[in-house]
Amino acid sequence: DVKVTQSSRYLVKRTGEKVFLECVQDMDHENMFWYRQDPGLGLRLIYFSYDVKMKEKGDIPEGYSVSREKKERFSLILESASTNQTSMYLCASIGDRRKAYEQYFGPGTRLTVT
Amino acid sequence: AQKVTQAQTEISVVEKEDVTLDCVYETRDTTYYLFWYKQPPSGELVFLIRRNSFDEQNEISGRYSWNFQKSTSSFNFTITASQVVDSAVYFCALRPGANSKLTFGKGITLSVRP
């Protein structure tokens, strides 16, 4: 089974702190994604990566950056956390063409910025 | 641009009732994939089904069934004889065949009461 893990289920940080959210997948997938989920807004794509050291902006990249140094790991970085970044963050990894790019999600990190 | 509309935001039913969750999509691509995901209270997104644009055959999996109609750009999901464990947020999603970005609807919160 595909497994996508995220470093924390719950995280509380202070405004201005630098925050790292880690995501690891064990299926050798090229494509990885970071979403945030907010009530009434659904899931919105922050950043994605097609390969190591490659990254592309999603729909709401402002205030975030990412790092993909190894294929299995995709990190989301909040350089200076703000209260409007309080949200649920979901990482995803995508299967290959044979599985029609089926997307597997991690359990999520609920981040609170105070 | 891709768009997924889940017009229903919250649905409440009594156990054993049938319930249909609506999904309407917009895309200019001729090749695309449609998905349904379930998000139980635990938070993790669970993949339910994938359907490609060339396959309009409806699908049934136990109490779940899906009705895909290209003529109306809809991909509706029906739960027959609902159970309390079906209580969750359900997301419909669309991916164009040309790339792997997944566009989600805003989700439908289903509550099944005993």
Side-chain angles (χ1 to χ4, degrees), chain A residues 9 37 40 100-103, chain B residues 37 39 42 50 95 102:
Chain A
R9 290 300 302 271
Q37 181 180 4
Y101 304 107
E102 194 173 296
Q103 206 155 354
Chain B
Y37 285 87
Q39 187 178 43
S42 60
R50 171 191 73 244
R95 169 177 294 120
L102 200 63

Side-chain angles (χ1 to χ4, degrees), chain A residues 28-41:
Chain A
D28 201 37
H29 290 162
E30 276 77 27
N31 304 303
M32 297 185 74
F33 301 77
W34 274 107
Y35 293 88
R36 66 175 281 177
Q37 181 180 4
D38 301 286
L41 297 177

Side-chain angles (χ1 to χ4, degrees), chain A residues 9 33 35 37 40-43 45 48 50 59 90 94 99-103 105-107, chain B residues 33 35 37 39 42-45 47 50 89 91 95 97 99-102 104-107:
Chain A
R9 290 300 302 271
F33 301 77
Y35 293 88
Q37 181 180 4
L41 297 177
L43 277 78
L45 182 63
F48 59 105
Y50 287 132
D59 300 319
L90 290 159
I94 192 170
K99 292 192 174 183
Y101 304 107
E102 194 173 296
Q103 206 155 354
F105 285 84
Chain B
Y33 298 91
F35 300 80
Y37 285 87
Q39 187 178 43
S42 60
E44 188 162 352
L45 277 165
F47 167 80
R50 171 191 73 244
V89 181
F91 291 95
R95 169 177 294 120
N99 64 55
S100 57
K101 288 177 66 173
L102 200 63
F104 283 86
K106 293 185 178 180

Side-chain angles (χ1 to χ4, degrees), chain A:
Chain A
D1 279 354
V2 174
K3 191 150 183 144
V4 180
T5 57
Q6 295 182 227
S7 48
S8 307
R9 290 300 302 271
Y10 300 94
L11 208 53
V12 180
K13 294 292 182 180
R14 293 189 182 276
T15 301
E17 278 193 78
K18 189 168 187 176
V19 182
F20 292 87
L21 302 183
E22 304 285 341
C23 175
V24 178
Q25 51 93 4
D26 64 0
M27 283 300 290
D28 201 37
H29 290 162
E30 276 77 27
N31 304 303
M32 297 185 74
F33 301 77
W34 274 107
Y35 293 88
R36 66 175 281 177
Q37 181 180 4
D38 301 286
L41 297 177
L43 277 78
R44 295 178 291 168
L45 182 63
I46 304 171
Y47 266 98
F48 59 105
S49 170
Y50 287 132
D51 205 346
V52 175
K53 296 192 184 298
M54 292 181 69
K55 62 183 179 184
E56 288 201 33
K57 294 180 180 179
D59 300 319
I60 51 164
E62 296 78 21
Y64 303 95
S65 62
V66 291
S67 172
R68 185 102 182 264
E69 295 297 319
K70 293 185 177 181
K71 194 175 188 179
E72 67 272 17
R73 187 180 298 270
F74 190 36
S75 303
L76 180 69
I77 304 159
L78 288 66
E79 295 289 341
S80 177
S82 62
T83 55
N84 63 13
Q85 292 178 308
T86 292
S87 185
M88 169 72 97
Y89 290 88
L90 290 159
C91 174
S93 166
I94 192 170
D96 62 21
R97 190 179 303 170
R98 289 169 296 176
K99 292 192 174 183
Y101 304 107
E102 194 173 296
Q103 206 155 354
Y104 300 90
F105 285 84
T109 296
R110 189 167 293 281
L111 173 67
T112 302
V113 182
T114 61

